[in-house]
Amino acid sequence: MIWLGILGVIACFAVLIFAAYKKISMVFMAPVAAIIIAVTNGLDVAEVLSGVYSEGMVGFIKAWFLVIALGSLFGQLYNDSGAAWRIGATLVSWAGPKWALTMYILLGGLLVYGGINIIVVIFVLLPFALVVFEKTGTPWYLYPAATVFSLTTFSMTMLPGNLQLQNIIPTQTLGTSLMAAPVEGIAAAVFIFIVGTAYLMYEANKGRDLPEADIRNYEIQGNTPNYEELDGTAPSFVVSLIPMVITLVLINIFQVNIIYGLIIGCVIACVLFRNSIPDMWTTFSEGFNKGIYPTMIIASVVGVGRVVGATPVFELLRTNIINIPVSGISKIAAMTTIVAGITGSASGGLTMVMELFGQEFLTWGYSPEIVHRVAAIASGGLDTLPWNGTVVMLFALSGVEYRKGYKMVAVESVILPLLSLIPAILVHYLLY
């Protein structure tokens, strides 16, 4: 019977992988996975779904819905006002053709660091990508790699103080702040930025004269904004930065509660951007609505994790996972990145690991701060396998085929994030 339970857990994760790869709603497929676990482990299906599964979902929604919804609203205010566009246009203009690609990478990182939703940033960046790639002669098939590198690596998981969920989730379990392990995080971010940017430059120079480099060979989706109209209506560069900077300072320096900090940031954005937003109520509605679905997706994965934790085979699985042949802090990284890869989500995988093993990690003798940073960084590795939602979107928008562009995506968002754990861990051991 124990082996049937183990097969059930394996089948559960297979269902999650299938759903992520086929872009089937995780809100629908997660209960299916929970039912498989219940049946194969001899648990009552109705009790599991109405009990431990629902409790896991509700617990996550209770803890994180306002944070995710307010972050989504913050991003919508930046998008609808043109403030995000203004920041990008100014920085790319300052950079000039020689440094435009590097500035494009930094621009995405800046917007993500400031808490703007990744999906919003993708659509903000696309018009800049069209200009930057053509002006610099960068092959268009590098667009998915350059963009995913900009959005999901150094700014989302490594840099201390960022307002993305991957940096927020560990704070609840570990009692840490968003600035956890700052030196280790910066070491990882500097490493990956230098190596990742150098790799993109190498690939750009190598493929500049190839026929498939020409942007005109691709069916690019999305609407190009009216630049003249935006230039006349968007807030100035300095004004555009103010809500983001104040929010970061309040949360990270003055240790204001994340919810209060985001509310203040949204209020300031409403005041400063009021003349640039056509319909403030529509912006509020869309912003909050866009926060609901991501909350439900992650909550569904958390519910599955709770069901796994309630099975008779969990202790056996837990022991085997904890006993994987990796030592020290690297074990925390390995466990986190494997689960993130299975779920196809950095935030979903990280939440599941924190739920199931967070307190266990603290008993291993490491500080909560280094556990926070290592787990956050590791969640951004295998999560961007081909079935990841952000990766799928980037290839769909750009018209680039996986066979041409995914190798570079894998280097930038799978291999390098995992390698960046090396400088982070080395710095930690040097310091402590």
Side-chain angles (χ1 to χ4, degrees), residues 42-53:
L43 304 176
D44 184 278
V45 172
E47 288 184 5
V48 165
L49 292 178
S50 62
V52 64
Y53 177 78

Side-chain angles (χ1 to χ4, degrees), residues 313-359:
V313 301
F314 175 66
E315 283 305 319
L316 176 64
L317 293 171
R318 178 190 180 111
T319 301
N320 280 278
I321 292 173
I322 290 175
N323 289 334
I324 59 175
V326 180
S327 61
I329 301 175
S330 302
K331 184 176 291 189
I332 297 171
M335 293 169 63
T336 305
T337 198
I338 289 169
V339 176
I342 289 170
T343 60
S345 165
S347 52
L350 182 59
T351 303
M352 185 180 286
V353 167
M354 287 292 112
E355 286 271 336
L356 297 177
F357 303 108
Q359 293 302 315

Side-chain angles (χ1 to χ4, degrees), residues 67 96 142 174 196 223-224 294 337 362 368 370 375 391 413-414 431:
V67 173
L142 288 177
L174 305 175
N223 298 319
T224 302
T337 198
L362 296 180
I370 191 60
V391 173
S413 65
V414 178
L431 290 175

Side-chain angles (χ1 to χ4, degrees), residues 180-425:
V183 179
E184 293 92 332
I186 290 171
V190 169
F191 166 82
I192 197 171
F193 179 75
I194 293 173
V195 177
T197 303
Y199 174 72
L200 281 174
M201 296 294 187
Y202 165 75
E203 288 288 351
N205 290 328
K206 187 175 72 171
R208 206 176 299 277
D209 297 324
L210 295 176
E212 57 265 41
D214 195 331
I215 196 172
R216 291 168 293 186
N217 294 331
Y218 298 87
E219 294 184 11
I220 300 168
Q221 307 298 315
N223 298 319
T224 302
N226 186 322
Y227 297 115
E228 291 185 4
E229 182 179 334
L230 277 173
D231 194 43
T233 60
S236 69
F237 176 70
V238 173
V239 170
S240 297
L241 286 175
I242 289 174
M244 188 184 298
V245 171
I246 289 177
T247 303
L248 287 167
V249 169
L250 286 174
I251 294 173
N252 290 305
I253 296 179
F254 292 99
Q255 300 296 304
V256 172
N257 182 282
I258 294 172
I259 291 176
Y260 291 149
L262 287 170
I263 289 174
I264 293 170
C266 288
V267 170
I268 294 172
C270 287
V271 173
L272 295 181
F273 302 164
R274 65 188 183 282
N275 295 326
S276 302
I277 297 177
D279 187 338
M280 189 67 76
W281 290 115
T282 299
T283 295
F284 265 75
S285 297
E286 290 185 359
F288 256 84
N289 287 342
K290 287 178 180 177
I292 294 172
Y293 191 57
T295 305
M296 292 301 296
I297 290 174
I298 302 170
S300 299
V301 174
V302 171
V304 174
R306 287 288 182 88
V307 176
V308 172
T311 62
V313 301
F314 175 66
E315 283 305 319
L316 176 64
L317 293 171
R318 178 190 180 111
T319 301
N320 280 278
I321 292 173
I322 290 175
N323 289 334
I324 59 175
V326 180
S327 61
I329 301 175
S330 302
K331 184 176 291 189
I332 297 171
M335 293 169 63
T336 305
T337 198
I338 289 169
V339 176
I342 289 170
T343 60
S345 165
S347 52
L350 182 59
T351 303
M352 185 180 286
V353 167
M354 287 292 112
E355 286 271 336
L356 297 177
F357 303 108
Q359 293 302 315
E360 178 82 20
F361 293 156
L362 296 180
T363 66
W364 294 356
Y366 301 113
S367 69
E369 287 73 22
I370 191 60
V371 173
H372 173 137
R373 188 57 54 207
V374 166
I377 294 172
S379 73
L382 294 181
D383 69 309
T384 48
L385 292 174
W387 51 80
N388 173 268
T390 300
V391 173
V392 171
M393 176 180 288
L394 289 173
F395 277 94
L397 283 175
S398 63
V400 177
E401 296 180 355
Y402 269 78
R403 64 179 179 82
K404 186 61 184 175
Y406 186 74
K407 180 191 80 170
M408 285 71 79
V409 169
V411 171
E412 297 286 10
S413 65
V414 178
I415 296 172
L416 288 182
L418 296 179
L419 289 179
S420 70
L421 286 162
I422 297 173
I425 293 171

